[in-house]
Amino acid sequence: MTVLVDPPLWPRHGRHWAHMVSDASLDELHAFAARAGLPERAFDLDHYDVPDERIDALVALGAVPVSAGELIRRLRASGLRVPGRDRERRH
């Protein structure tokens, strides 16, 4: 398993946000998020939204920094990606 985190490029709520995903399983992603102290509400179907100030701590715990493009390629390849068309129905 590899937990990946992309650059905090997305502005919202007065800060920038990154995404954290697993390239293997949601169980492993949730376990990593719990170790990192991320709240369950940060999970959005296939990823965690992570504020920019948490990135260094995630990397220190073992998350691998990748580009946004690499993150989405690896998430799709894992089979865990929830497409946008399915997000609306699942929320």
Side-chain angles (χ1 to χ4, degrees), residues 20-83:
M20 184 178 79
V21 304
S22 169
D23 68 354
S25 83
L26 292 179
D27 288 339
E28 291 170 314
L29 178 61
H30 292 310
F32 187 95
R35 280 196 327 272
L38 295 176
E40 290 180 18
R41 71 179 179 277
F43 183 67
D44 186 14
L45 300 177
D46 60 8
H47 70 276
Y48 279 82
D49 292 316
V50 181
D52 54 359
E53 67 269 10
R54 300 292 303 270
I55 302 301
D56 290 342
L58 295 174
V59 171
L61 283 173
V64 176
V66 296
S67 70
E70 178 69 12
L71 182 135
I72 195 65
R73 279 189 292 280
R74 303 257 306 260
L75 182 60
R76 285 179 180 147
S78 74
L80 299 174
R81 175 71 174 143
V82 177

Side-chain angles (χ1 to χ4, degrees), residues 45 82-91:
L45 300 177
V82 177
R85 68 181 175 274
D86 295 338
R87 288 180 176 283
E88 294 176 22
R89 286 183 287 190
R90 294 181 71 177
H91 272 296

